[in-house]
Amino acid sequence: DTAVSQTPKYLVTQMGNDKSIKCEQNLGHDTMYWYKQDSKKFLKIMFSYNNKELIINETVPNRFSPKSPDKAHLNLHINSLELGDSAVYFCASSQGNRKLFFGSGTQLSVL
Amino acid sequence: AQKVTQAQTEISVVEKEDVTLDCVYETRDTTYYLFWYKQPPSGELVFLIRRNSFDEQNEISGRYSWNFQKSTSSFNFTITASQVVDSAVYFCALSDLSGGGADGLTFGKGTHLIIQP
């Protein structure tokens, strides 16, 4: 069983389109996250959701909107995609001990 | 504010050599956690170790060892007798209590380790 699963693994799209990335965790964790990894491999947190409540939003453009229908899911919706949005997006979850369990990543390419 | 510095952007060694990856951190909290993650060429992020700020005992796991020194705010990672499969990007990360426990990890910029056969 995959602990944190995200889909799709690859996403290629045109500028201006709207796309979503889905994430699910079966670990029973209370907190889920979205991280962005840029071309230089730098990992930066975008969002954190704790029990379906947004905890932090690290100056991410409002074109990015996390949506959490329940505490096992945290989807990322992106409007009006731009070239600079091309990156690898990682979903993660944690509980208490702060060890993050990461999904396998979604490589987004905006053409 | 918390910060993690991995000054070594890239390290290249020949197989079987020992290699140490440096990590220096900054935090105002007395309670915090330090981590190392590995990202192989396949792209996934693999957890290696977690250490809390009250446990300065060094840890060894096979060829891997970690040296935590609060006096110098460092949490260095050593691979003994490196192998080609160790080639990856290694991230050091920090989590403190400033965000109430749900602010995730602050990562360093990573060290790209290349093990040449």
Side-chain angles (χ1 to χ4, degrees), chain B residues 20-94:
Chain B
T20 296
L21 282 60
D22 298 333
C23 174
V24 175
Y25 62 92
E26 296 176 27
T27 177
R28 294 178 188 158
D29 286 349
T30 56
T31 301
Y32 52 88
Y33 295 85
L34 295 163
F35 300 78
W36 277 93
Y37 280 83
K38 173 182 179 180
Q39 188 174 39
S42 52
E44 71 271 24
L45 286 159
V46 180
F47 169 82
L48 295 178
I49 190 171
R50 180 191 70 143
R51 173 67 75 230
N52 74 55
S53 53
F54 298 107
D55 182 3
E56 289 195 69
Q57 192 170 16
N58 292 331
E59 180 153 342
I60 298 174
S61 176
R63 297 184 295 107
Y64 294 173
S65 61
W66 290 268
N67 183 1
F68 176 30
Q69 293 197 345
K70 288 179 75 170
S71 60
T72 56
S73 297
S74 65
F75 187 43
N76 297 337
F77 172 34
T78 298
I79 301 175
T80 303
S82 60
Q83 299 177 2
V84 172
V85 292
D86 296 327
S87 297
V89 180
Y90 290 87
F91 293 96
C92 182
L94 167 71

Side-chain angles (χ1 to χ4, degrees), chain A residues 9 31 33 35 37 40-43 45 48 50 55-56 90 97-104, chain B residues 33 35 37 39 43-45 47 50 89 91 95-97 99 101-105 107-109:
Chain A
K9 186 166 178 63
T31 308
Y33 311 83
Y35 277 81
Q37 185 174 44
K40 295 184 178 179
K41 297 289 189 180
F42 184 50
L43 277 159
I45 192 166
S48 167
N50 184 272
I55 301 299
I56 58 174
F90 285 96
N97 66 4
R98 300 162 183 273
K99 172 185 170 182
L100 262 62
F101 292 79
F102 284 90
S104 57
Chain B
Y33 295 85
F35 300 78
Y37 280 83
Q39 188 174 39
E44 71 271 24
L45 286 159
F47 169 82
R50 180 191 70 143
V89 180
F91 293 96
S95 174
D96 60 22
L97 296 178
D103 56 351
L105 305 181
F107 283 86
K109 293 189 175 182

Side-chain angles (χ1 to χ4, degrees), chain A residues 42-105:
Chain A
F42 184 50
L43 277 159
K44 186 173 172 61
I45 192 166
M46 300 175 69
F47 300 103
S48 167
Y49 253 77
N50 184 272
N51 281 322
K52 296 171 53 177
E53 179 184 355
L54 180 65
I55 301 299
I56 58 174
N57 177 342
E58 293 288 324
T59 64
V60 174
N62 58 15
R63 298 182 296 103
F64 291 80
S65 55
K67 299 206 186 306
S68 181
D70 54 62
K71 78 171 192 177
H73 296 83
L74 181 63
N75 303 324
L76 183 65
H77 189 75
I78 315 169
N79 289 328
S80 303
L81 278 156
E82 300 178 356
L83 293 176
D85 297 332
S86 295
V88 180
Y89 293 84
F90 285 96
C91 177
S93 72
S94 73
Q95 179 76 29
N97 66 4
R98 300 162 183 273
K99 172 185 170 182
L100 262 62
F101 292 79
F102 284 90
S104 57

